[in-house]
Amino acid sequence: FGSRGSSVEQFLAALAAASGLQGRTDRGQRAAMGKAGQARQVFKTFGKNKKSGKVKTEDKKKTAPKLKKDITPGSVLILLAGRFRGTRVVFLKQLESGLLLITGPYAVNGVPLRRVNQRFC
């Protein structure tokens, strides 16, 4: 049989053929491909190819987050982060993405029309 490794592989192949079960006969190939290749091979074999019952993001309707109850169009907000932190601004409207459209107005305090997350107001 030559070397010990090949005899083990031949034994496993014969055992798999006799029992009708698929045995691990790829030991030599896995050793030759290295750690990264082995990991890829294992992922291909046992990876996440099962269809999950979850709804895909394409199927979900994206809705804008609820607006805080204190925020109404025309109200004055103070920005908590970003270039204009600490500046008082006027809230104009909520965009479809959920961001808030605010302005200084620009002529008063130099804050242009900006999109801001609710967390930063």
Side-chain angles (χ1 to χ4, degrees), residues 2-66:
S3 69
R4 180 165 159 66
S6 63
S7 63
V8 171
E9 288 177 19
Q10 288 175 356
F11 173 73
L12 288 174
L15 183 64
S19 65
L21 298 173
Q22 196 68 344
R24 287 257 333 251
T25 58
D26 60 347
R27 288 181 188 204
Q29 293 172 353
R30 284 197 182 199
M33 59 172 103
K35 292 272 185 192
Q38 289 176 18
R40 245 182 265 116
Q41 183 67 30
V42 169
F43 185 77
K44 283 181 188 174
T45 311
F46 302 106
K48 301 176 182 177
N49 1 358
K50 298 176 185 174
K51 292 185 179 179
S52 61
K54 296 181 182 176
V55 180
K56 292 183 180 178
T57 54
E58 300 163 357
D59 299 340
K60 290 182 182 177
K61 284 267 186 170
K62 288 192 175 183
T63 57
K66 285 186 179 179

